Amino acid sequence: MQQTLLDALTGDSEAAAFFADAADIAAILRFETALAEAEAEAGLIPAAAEAAIADACRGFAPDWEALAGGMVRDGVVVPELLRQLRARIGPPHAAHLHFGATSQDAIDTSLVLRLAEAIKLLDTRLVSLIRAFDTLRDAAGSTPLMGRTRMQRALPITAADKLANWSAPLSRHRASLAALRRKLLVIQLGGPVGTRAELGDKADQVAKRLAAILDLGLADPWHTQRDPLVEFGSLMALISGSLGKFGADIALMAQNEVAEITLAGGGGSSAMPHKSNPVNAEILVTLARHSAGLVATLNQALVHENERSGSAWTLEWLTLPRLVVTASASLRLATSLANQIGFGPPTNPKR
Amino acid sequence: MQQTLLDALTGDSEAAAFFADAADIAAILRFETALAEAEAEAGLIPAAAEAAIADACRGFAPDWEALAGGMVRDGVVVPELLRQLRARIGPPHAAHLHFGATSQDAIDTSLVLRLAEAIKLLDTRLVSLIRAFDTLRDAAGSTPLMGRTRMQRALPITAADKLANWSAPLSRHRASLAALRRKLLVIQLGGPVGTRAELGDKADQVAKRLAAILDLGLADPWHTQRDPLVEFGSLMALISGSLGKFGADIALMAQNEVAEITLAGGGGSSAMPHKSNPVNAEILVTLARHSAGLVATLNQALVHENERSGSAWTLEWLTLPRLVVTASASLRLATSLANQIGFGPPTNPKR
Amino acid sequence: MQQTLLDALTGDSEAAAFFADAADIAAILRFETALAEAEAEAGLIPAAAEAAIADACRGFAPDWEALAGGMVRDGVVVPELLRQLRARIGPPHAAHLHFGATSQDAIDTSLVLRLAEAIKLLDTRLVSLIRAFDTLRDAAGSTPLMGRTRMQRALPITAADKLANWSAPLSRHRASLAALRRKLLVIQLGGPVGTRAELGDKADQVAKRLAAILDLGLADPWHTQRDPLVEFGSLMALISGSLGKFGADIALMAQNEVAEITLAGGGGSSAMPHKSNPVNAEILVTLARHSAGLVATLNQALVHENERSGSAWTLEWLTLPRLVVTASASLRLATSLANQIGFGPPTNPKR
Amino acid sequence: MQQTLLDALTGDSEAAAFFADAADIAAILRFETALAEAEAEAGLIPAAAEAAIADACRGFAPDWEALAGGMVRDGVVVPELLRQLRARIGPPHAAHLHFGATSQDAIDTSLVLRLAEAIKLLDTRLVSLIRAFDTLRDAAGSTPLMGRTRMQRALPITAADKLANWSAPLSRHRASLAALRRKLLVIQLGGPVGTRAELGDKADQVAKRLAAILDLGLADPWHTQRDPLVEFGSLMALISGSLGKFGADIALMAQNEVAEITLAGGGGSSAMPHKSNPVNAEILVTLARHSAGLVATLNQALVHENERSGSAWTLEWLTLPRLVVTASASLRLATSLANQIGFGPPTNPKR
């Protein structure tokens, strides 16, 4: 579904690019090229085949309409993509493309390659946001605020107290992100039923080399073991959720009567030009709740029957990219919002 | 997020078109034109203003980039759209555009206008699918099958028994869809805080006329009363869920060892050309589970604070259109699948 | 899980009683008794067997420990319950108990019998709450309040405007509840695989008589057609969700700085005796969000494979009763809260 | 809600005991006793008060009915519990109970103390299950099975391949559980608004000592930072989800026509005594889907407004304990199921 306006508000173009079709196909081509290289080195395919495969993948422009047709027919894009690539490579080398691999090897590895990029983006944004909070604390941390519990005034606190509660989870999320890299950023290589059977006694060698070429970790085939992906998705929801708390706080503090905060550049209204709406704060709450729902659906995909479930796997595709984009958007909007904040009441209050 | 390949598999271009930006803006323009007409008739705005507004809306080509900018700034598209429209109308008539209305009036009514179209599509597809099941029953209803409970063989049934269980919920969904029309397909007109205050004693007249022009029902302002939308979304999940049961059954019946069904034109595999995968059946299960998750998030949006919640409202936008598209896709895929079915074992089994 | 304190806050003892084990077993016994009566009338079992079955069911005190053991072993309580009942009836009549029926017939009909009671409770509570809102409107509807949109002050409204938005959805929910009765409150009678095969040409007669005795509607076997139950669960979430909006509004209005409302008898704090917390309002939000999550899981149960899915069916048991109890609790708490409300600022504000 | 029969099937009495009211109150009393000890050492309260508090907490039998009343009134149990305790301690020492603390300090620390026990149980069960899989692999790992992808036969694998895919995630879950201990098993001590203000310059000393007495880690107040709890809940869903895959596989393999597995002691049917149902396998799928839903609701609780949200906090109480109990039940049932498995077709097949 293409909803550009809604994406402008709730999405993130930089993160979304990782999950665009073009990025997926490009990463699949990287996988096929690297696999051919690893297999040529292991003597499983001729060196000439490797060269022909690399040539074909380089600058390959797929027939997108046919790819969409293949997706509908096969449930995965790889068979049709391979058909197109094989036509380009031609005999005799075409037969060596994708040797010993299965669609899922290409697709999962492609996803992982792009998650590696996403993790970099997320970490960069986490750092920026933590810094924005630090800057606010240094500038205005001693500003007195009212602590509120159960929606009622309780006792005084300071801006630094608020900032600490907003920022501390982010450092934990950075650590979780780093810790997940080892589990998550690994190759997928299993062949049709996850046993690497066609690679014979060269299986380990090929896997090791494939990992090295793609700068990914080594792992046994994990076709049906989706827990690292779900754990990553859960972390995305944690990030968006933590920032939802920040957004909710800001929306409450920016209420006219509470007036503990001013926001530079709030959103306008079609009917009331005098209003300044805490749009970024509200959207952070939206994204937190959206992510919470997505993570449930992603968890449903853990029930991945047999050696490959088309059903559960497709459910991941519908949720995991969106979780990453949403967490990225949350971080971007939160940083914008942090930069809008001025603690204390407006100098010329509108109430 | 634009993922054309995934949309080809799991989306529905016909239903998605209702929720494209262009359709939204076109429906908002219909609302503004109709509102001006109703208000001119009530003497609230000059007839010349009505004409100027209608002229401006006709064939209006928005500056999309500026609309996206407005969306980001204001959280809604309407203020920027009105700015562009007013520039086109020019003084003195521009001041009469959108009189007494608020962004939400335009946006909610736009949504309702498009849901009216979606309901037609859904009902047409429900009818088609019910017919496909009827056709199968007439052709092969007496085919003996094994009834299975708790994943174990139980006692014999017939294909007609299966078909009845797949089809009966669809008739109930049709009835629900018809019953919902009255609640759902109504105008939104409340003004800034849902009181129609600026329309004074002409409020009822304007509302009544607006409804008539747009061929929608009349309703009190329902800015914060989102239950009919959520009920509609829940029905979408019921549709996808019922078809998920159909998909799950087919995937089980099509197992090689069970072989109670054959599917014409199943999907291929990159590694095992001999396989014929029940792709449509699997995706029906995926869409059922996806919808179940979306409906939870949509329900979260019922907690719509004060007289308008940017947070809860945006959450609807992220979920309701997707539920409609998913239900539409489920119906389309289910009809395809019904047309693929042949009861009984394959004549040349592959096991 | 027995958490009496949490249940005191978030549950509802009156509604929970419908789903207690004792109520379930009692309703199953009603089913078995009524089935025997219907079958005796149809000549399917001897009149003496009917009398013996009725005698045995009357005042039957099950061996609960053995029932729990049966539940663990069989996944349903009925086989062990029948074993105990048959031991009590003794030969030759014991063999006629449960003739032509399956566990699901007894369990689903038992559920429906109790949902009939739950619907009465829910409707009574909806009426009470609507009346409480009406009373508030009559007493203080003209109190001026500030309309707030996107968490910012917008334009003045009145208490009557707030009350209308809280109350209107409840009338729709009453109508939905009434409309659902016809779909939902029907017998389940299908036998092992949902075909009523063992009842032969007396099947319709038995079904009709069973429905009459139990004061339920007639329906074809619906073992795997769970949409009416899910639709009912969705309505429960709508009720809790609508009241979550009420709770959120009250918590916002009761903020010390906003002070548009006072609440008689708010909750205390262990550390700040001066505080008065809007506990009921907060819990209404909690219950709305809890229900939204439960309804997602209930929707997952629509994917009910084959002629009976132990997996999907048990998922209903974990969610539907809780949705009913939560909606009942929401209504009870909302009525309490409505009775606590005084519009306008506190006479002796604590800020 | 007390549903003993359903709990027998889907719950876990050992894990549920950690979340029983009695366990909660006992852990709160441990907190209050330890706090008094730490504060007496720091000179914040008299040594005699510490002794009186310790005496009162030892063997204290609360008035449960009054506690339930307090829960309803205050939304938390602590104010009423303290009232009862203070009445028992009497003046002058009663005034020193709970000094500088707030309800949340007691309640969160109580939860953490019990999660520490739950983690031990979970780890023990993970180890048992991994061993059960190892035993199966050693005994029958070389048994040939058919690999199935997209619900169709693909290529041969072995039982060892299946077992590796079931077992490998469990080792990751053990590692995650160990890693989470440091984040999760920490004291909560913040006072009314999370600043430890009343403890003055003794705050760090008291916190450090409190942690030492309770054998928990030290942490800054985390009243509103709920991410470690949600991360723990997400891990619970990962465990149940991984075992849902195991259950789904078993249910598929145990189909009569597939017959790749036999299960000792399957469940019975009320209508078909010849059937042997894979009850444990089905319930594992149920629990996986149930947990996936619960984790969404738990994530909603991350939006924890201000310095304490009654709303969000109560939402945790409704979900986190259930996630732990469900993961514990999943592990128990999975171990039972692993011990039921015999690879290969039944010696006397029933098809």
Side-chain angles (χ1 to χ4, degrees):
Chain A
M1 293 179 59
Q2 190 171 2
Q3 296 180 290
T4 307
L5 294 174
L6 186 57
D7 276 348
L9 181 63
T10 63
D12 189 87
S13 59
E14 201 171 345
F18 299 134
F19 304 106
D21 291 336
D24 186 9
I25 299 298
I28 292 176
L29 296 175
R30 276 182 69 192
F31 167 84
E32 299 291 352
T33 306
L35 180 67
E37 182 180 337
E39 292 179 338
E41 284 185 30
L44 288 170
I45 69 169
E50 179 209 341
I53 290 167
D55 270 358
C57 289
R58 201 174 300 124
F60 175 68
D63 173 344
W64 288 102
E65 205 170 327
L67 286 186
M71 188 83 176
V72 168
R73 189 175 57 244
D74 303 325
V76 283
V77 77
V78 171
E80 170 61 21
L81 177 65
L82 293 180
R83 200 197 53 73
Q84 294 184 20
L85 272 175
R86 287 198 173 108
R88 183 170 156 115
I89 299 169
H93 300 315
H96 298 292
L97 178 70
H98 193 68
F99 175 73
T102 191
S103 291
Q104 189 167 5
D105 297 332
I107 293 169
D108 279 349
T109 304
S110 163
L111 175 64
V112 165
L113 285 167
R114 294 171 291 136
L115 292 183
E117 297 302 310
I119 285 175
K120 284 180 206 160
L121 178 69
L122 289 160
D123 194 59
T124 301
R125 291 192 179 177
L126 281 164
V127 169
S128 296
L129 181 54
I130 291 168
R131 277 193 199 139
F133 285 142
D134 287 349
T135 302
L136 278 168
R137 184 200 55 208
D138 293 348
S142 58
T143 311
L145 298 174
M146 178 51 64
R148 289 175 172 81
T149 56
R150 304 199 83 124
M151 296 292 282
Q152 292 286 299
R153 292 165 67 95
L155 292 170
I157 59 170
T158 64
D161 294 323
K162 286 269 187 194
L163 289 160
N165 280 309
W166 295 334
S167 186
L170 304 180
S171 298
R172 283 191 289 272
H173 301 333
R174 286 197 69 203
S176 295
L177 211 48
L180 249 171
R181 292 177 58 92
R182 267 161 302 165
K183 277 193 235 185
L184 186 67
L185 301 185
V186 297
I187 57 162
Q188 178 69 281
L189 183 66
V193 288
T195 55
R196 294 184 185 163
E198 293 181 64
L199 303 178
D201 61 1
K202 299 295 176 60
D204 286 356
Q205 180 186 343
V206 169
K208 205 169 166 184
R209 186 70 187 115
L210 179 69
I213 298 171
L214 295 174
D215 195 22
L216 293 175
L218 193 60
D220 287 338
W222 48 278
H223 287 169
T224 65
Q225 303 172 33
R226 315 305 287 180
D227 54 292
L229 287 174
V230 176
E231 191 176 347
F232 180 66
S234 300
L235 177 55
M236 297 299 101
L238 274 189
I239 292 174
S240 290
S242 297
L243 299 178
K245 187 257 186 295
F246 170 48
D249 282 355
I250 295 298
L252 287 167
M253 296 169 79
Q255 290 173 102
N256 309 83
E257 296 87 347
V258 173
E260 290 198 326
I261 219 165
T262 55
L263 296 175
S269 152
S270 75
M272 295 161 286
H274 63 282
K275 283 189 69 193
S276 172
N277 293 323
V279 174
N280 286 340
E282 286 186 300
I283 301 303
L284 285 175
V285 175
T286 303
L287 297 182
R289 302 210 181 283
H290 185 43
S291 292
L294 289 168
V295 92
T297 308
L298 181 60
N299 269 276
Q300 296 286 350
L302 285 167
V303 185
H304 191 114
E305 80 273 358
N306 288 334
E307 278 58 66
R308 182 168 312 117
S309 165
S311 208
W313 196 20
T314 310
L315 201 55
E316 285 178 12
W317 303 346
L318 286 167
T319 48
L320 186 61
R322 200 162 296 275
L323 278 162
V324 179
V325 171
T326 302
S328 303
S330 294
L331 285 164
R332 186 175 45 73
L333 290 171
T335 307
S336 292
L337 181 58
N339 292 328
Q340 288 180 277
I341 292 177
F343 285 103
T347 47
N348 178 19
K350 290 173 183 165
R351 54 180 290 194
Chain B
M1 294 180 60
Q2 191 173 1
Q3 295 182 290
T4 306
L5 294 173
L6 185 58
D7 276 348
L9 181 64
T10 64
D12 189 87
S13 59
E14 202 171 346
F18 300 135
F19 303 105
D21 292 335
D24 187 9
I25 299 297
I28 291 176
L29 296 175
R30 277 183 68 193
F31 167 84
E32 298 292 352
T33 305
L35 180 67
E37 183 180 337
E39 291 178 339
E41 284 185 29
L44 288 171
I45 68 168
E50 180 210 339
I53 289 167
D55 271 359
C57 289
R58 202 173 300 123
F60 175 68
D63 174 344
W64 288 102
E65 203 169 326
L67 285 186
M71 188 83 176
V72 168
R73 189 175 56 245
D74 303 326
V76 283
V77 76
V78 172
E80 170 61 22
L81 178 65
L82 294 179
R83 200 197 55 71
Q84 294 184 22
L85 271 175
R86 287 199 173 107
R88 184 171 154 116
I89 300 168
H93 300 315
H96 298 291
L97 178 70
H98 194 66
F99 174 73
T102 192
S103 292
Q104 190 167 4
D105 296 331
I107 294 169
D108 278 349
T109 304
S110 163
L111 175 65
V112 165
L113 285 167
R114 293 170 290 137
L115 292 183
E117 297 303 310
I119 286 175
K120 284 180 207 160
L121 177 69
L122 290 160
D123 193 59
T124 302
R125 292 193 179 176
L126 280 164
V127 170
S128 296
L129 180 53
I130 291 169
R131 276 193 199 139
F133 285 141
D134 287 349
T135 303
L136 278 167
R137 185 202 53 209
D138 294 346
S142 59
T143 312
L145 298 174
M146 177 51 64
R148 289 176 172 80
T149 55
R150 304 199 83 125
M151 297 292 281
Q152 293 286 300
R153 293 165 67 95
L155 292 170
I157 59 170
T158 64
D161 295 322
K162 288 268 186 194
L163 288 160
N165 280 308
W166 296 334
S167 186
L170 304 180
S171 299
R172 284 190 290 273
H173 301 334
R174 285 197 71 203
S176 296
L177 210 49
L180 249 171
R181 292 178 57 91
R182 266 162 302 165
K183 279 193 234 185
L184 185 68
L185 301 185
V186 297
I187 57 161
Q188 178 69 283
L189 184 65
V193 288
T195 57
R196 294 183 184 163
E198 292 181 65
L199 303 178
D201 60 2
K202 299 295 175 61
D204 286 356
Q205 181 186 340
V206 169
K208 205 169 167 183
R209 186 71 187 114
L210 180 69
I213 298 170
L214 295 175
D215 195 22
L216 293 175
L218 193 59
D220 288 338
W222 49 279
H223 287 169
T224 66
Q225 301 172 33
R226 316 305 287 180
D227 54 293
L229 287 174
V230 176
E231 191 176 347
F232 179 66
S234 300
L235 178 55
M236 297 299 101
L238 274 189
I239 292 174
S240 291
S242 298
L243 300 177
K245 187 257 185 297
F246 171 47
D249 282 355
I250 295 299
L252 287 166
M253 295 169 79
Q255 291 174 100
N256 309 83
E257 295 87 347
V258 173
E260 291 199 326
I261 220 165
T262 55
L263 296 175
S269 153
S270 76
M272 294 162 285
H274 64 280
K275 282 189 70 192
S276 172
N277 294 323
V279 173
N280 286 340
E282 286 185 299
I283 300 303
L284 285 175
V285 175
T286 303
L287 296 182
R289 302 210 180 283
H290 184 43
S291 292
L294 288 168
V295 91
T297 307
L298 181 60
N299 269 276
Q300 296 287 349
L302 285 168
V303 185
H304 191 115
E305 79 273 358
N306 289 333
E307 278 58 66
R308 183 169 310 116
S309 166
S311 208
W313 196 20
T314 310
L315 201 55
E316 284 178 13
W317 304 345
L318 286 167
T319 48
L320 186 61
R322 198 162 298 275
L323 277 161
V324 180
V325 171
T326 302
S328 303
S330 293
L331 285 163
R332 185 175 46 73
L333 290 171
T335 308
S336 292
L337 181 58
N339 292 329
Q340 287 179 278
I341 292 176
F343 284 103
T347 47
N348 178 18
K350 291 172 183 164
R351 56 179 292 193
Chain C
M1 291 180 60
Q2 191 172 2
Q3 297 181 290
T4 306
L5 294 173
L6 186 58
D7 276 348
L9 181 64
T10 64
D12 188 88
S13 59
E14 203 172 345
F18 299 134
F19 304 105
D21 291 335
D24 187 9
I25 299 298
I28 291 176
L29 295 175
R30 275 183 69 193
F31 168 84
E32 299 292 351
T33 305
L35 180 66
E37 182 180 338
E39 291 178 341
E41 284 184 30
L44 288 170
I45 67 169
E50 181 210 339
I53 289 167
D55 270 358
C57 289
R58 201 173 301 123
F60 176 68
D63 174 345
W64 289 101
E65 204 170 326
L67 286 187
M71 188 84 176
V72 169
R73 188 176 58 244
D74 303 325
V76 282
V77 75
V78 171
E80 169 62 20
L81 177 65
L82 294 179
R83 199 197 55 72
Q84 294 184 20
L85 272 175
R86 286 196 175 111
R88 184 170 154 118
I89 300 169
H93 301 317
H96 298 291
L97 178 70
H98 194 68
F99 174 73
T102 191
S103 291
Q104 189 167 5
D105 296 330
I107 294 170
D108 278 349
T109 303
S110 162
L111 176 64
V112 165
L113 285 167
R114 293 171 292 137
L115 291 183
E117 298 301 311
I119 285 176
K120 284 180 207 162
L121 177 70
L122 289 161
D123 193 59
T124 301
R125 291 192 180 177
L126 280 164
V127 170
S128 295
L129 180 54
I130 292 169
R131 276 193 198 141
F133 285 142
D134 287 349
T135 302
L136 278 167
R137 185 200 56 208
D138 294 346
S142 60
T143 311
L145 298 174
M146 177 51 64
R148 289 176 171 81
T149 56
R150 303 198 85 122
M151 296 294 281
Q152 293 286 300
R153 291 164 67 96
L155 292 170
I157 59 170
T158 63
D161 294 323
K162 287 271 186 192
L163 288 161
N165 280 308
W166 296 334
S167 186
L170 304 180
S171 298
R172 285 191 288 272
H173 301 333
R174 284 198 71 204
S176 295
L177 210 49
L180 250 170
R181 292 177 58 92
R182 265 161 304 165
K183 277 193 235 184
L184 186 67
L185 301 185
V186 297
I187 56 160
Q188 177 70 283
L189 183 66
V193 287
T195 55
R196 294 183 184 163
E198 293 181 65
L199 303 178
D201 60 2
K202 300 295 174 62
D204 286 357
Q205 180 186 342
V206 169
K208 205 168 167 185
R209 185 72 187 113
L210 179 69
I213 298 170
L214 296 175
D215 195 21
L216 294 176
L218 193 59
D220 287 338
W222 48 278
H223 288 169
T224 67
Q225 302 172 32
R226 314 307 286 180
D227 54 292
L229 287 174
V230 176
E231 191 176 347
F232 179 66
S234 300
L235 178 55
M236 297 299 101
L238 274 189
I239 292 175
S240 291
S242 298
L243 300 178
K245 186 258 185 296
F246 170 48
D249 282 355
I250 295 298
L252 287 166
M253 296 170 78
Q255 290 174 102
N256 309 83
E257 296 87 349
V258 173
E260 291 199 326
I261 220 165
T262 54
L263 295 176
S269 152
S270 76
M272 294 161 287
H274 64 280
K275 284 189 68 192
S276 172
N277 294 322
V279 173
N280 286 340
E282 287 185 299
I283 300 303
L284 284 175
V285 175
T286 302
L287 297 182
R289 302 210 181 284
H290 184 43
S291 292
L294 288 168
V295 91
T297 307
L298 181 60
N299 270 276
Q300 296 287 350
L302 286 167
V303 185
H304 191 114
E305 80 274 358
N306 289 333
E307 279 57 67
R308 182 168 312 117
S309 165
S311 209
W313 196 19
T314 310
L315 201 55
E316 285 178 12
W317 304 345
L318 286 167
T319 48
L320 185 61
R322 199 161 298 274
L323 278 161
V324 180
V325 171
T326 302
S328 303
S330 294
L331 285 164
R332 185 174 46 73
L333 290 172
T335 307
S336 291
L337 181 58
N339 292 328
Q340 288 179 278
I341 292 177
F343 284 104
T347 47
N348 178 19
K350 290 170 185 166
R351 54 179 291 193
Chain D
M1 293 179 59
Q2 192 172 359
Q3 296 181 291
T4 305
L5 294 173
L6 186 57
D7 276 349
L9 181 64
T10 64
D12 189 87
S13 59
E14 203 172 346
F18 299 135
F19 303 106
D21 291 335
D24 187 10
I25 299 298
I28 291 177
L29 295 175
R30 275 182 70 193
F31 168 84
E32 299 292 352
T33 305
L35 180 67
E37 182 180 338
E39 291 179 339
E41 284 185 29
L44 288 170
I45 67 168
E50 180 209 339
I53 290 167
D55 271 359
C57 289
R58 201 173 300 124
F60 174 68
D63 173 344
W64 288 102
E65 204 169 327
L67 286 186
M71 188 83 176
V72 169
R73 188 175 57 244
D74 303 325
V76 282
V77 75
V78 171
E80 170 61 21
L81 178 65
L82 294 179
R83 199 197 55 71
Q84 293 184 21
L85 272 176
R86 286 196 175 111
R88 183 171 154 117
I89 298 169
H93 300 316
H96 299 291
L97 178 72
H98 195 66
F99 175 73
T102 191
S103 291
Q104 191 167 4
D105 297 331
I107 294 169
D108 279 349
T109 304
S110 163
L111 175 64
V112 165
L113 285 167
R114 292 171 292 137
L115 292 183
E117 298 302 310
I119 286 175
K120 284 180 207 164
L121 177 69
L122 290 160
D123 194 59
T124 301
R125 291 192 180 177
L126 281 164
V127 170
S128 296
L129 180 53
I130 292 169
R131 276 194 198 140
F133 286 141
D134 286 350
T135 302
L136 278 167
R137 185 201 54 209
D138 293 347
S142 59
T143 311
L145 298 174
M146 178 51 63
R148 288 175 172 81
T149 57
R150 304 198 84 123
M151 297 293 282
Q152 292 286 301
R153 292 165 66 96
L155 291 171
I157 58 171
T158 63
D161 294 322
K162 287 270 186 193
L163 289 160
N165 279 308
W166 296 334
S167 186
L170 305 180
S171 298
R172 284 191 290 272
H173 301 333
R174 285 198 70 204
S176 295
L177 210 50
L180 250 171
R181 292 177 57 91
R182 266 161 302 165
K183 278 194 233 184
L184 185 68
L185 301 185
V186 296
I187 57 162
Q188 179 68 284
L189 183 67
V193 288
T195 56
R196 294 183 184 162
E198 293 180 65
L199 304 178
D201 61 2
K202 299 295 175 60
D204 286 357
Q205 181 186 340
V206 168
K208 204 168 167 184
R209 187 72 188 111
L210 179 69
I213 298 171
L214 295 174
D215 196 21
L216 293 175
L218 193 59
D220 287 338
W222 49 278
H223 288 168
T224 66
Q225 301 172 32
R226 315 305 287 180
D227 54 292
L229 286 174
V230 176
E231 191 176 348
F232 180 66
S234 300
L235 178 55
M236 296 301 100
L238 274 189
I239 292 174
S240 291
S242 298
L243 300 178
K245 186 256 185 299
F246 170 48
D249 282 355
I250 295 299
L252 287 167
M253 296 169 79
Q255 289 173 103
N256 309 82
E257 296 86 349
V258 173
E260 290 199 327
I261 219 164
T262 54
L263 295 176
S269 153
S270 76
M272 293 162 287
H274 63 281
K275 283 189 68 192
S276 172
N277 294 322
V279 174
N280 286 340
E282 287 186 297
I283 301 302
L284 284 175
V285 175
T286 303
L287 297 182
R289 302 210 180 283
H290 184 44
S291 291
L294 288 168
V295 90
T297 308
L298 181 61
N299 269 276
Q300 296 287 351
L302 285 168
V303 185
H304 191 114
E305 80 274 358
N306 289 333
E307 278 58 66
R308 183 168 311 117
S309 165
S311 210
W313 196 19
T314 310
L315 202 55
E316 285 178 12
W317 303 346
L318 286 167
T319 48
L320 185 62
R322 198 162 298 276
L323 278 161
V324 179
V325 171
T326 302
S328 302
S330 294
L331 285 164
R332 185 174 47 72
L333 290 171
T335 307
S336 291
L337 181 58
N339 292 328
Q340 287 179 279
I341 293 176
F343 284 103
T347 46
N348 178 20
K350 290 171 185 166
R351 57 179 290 193

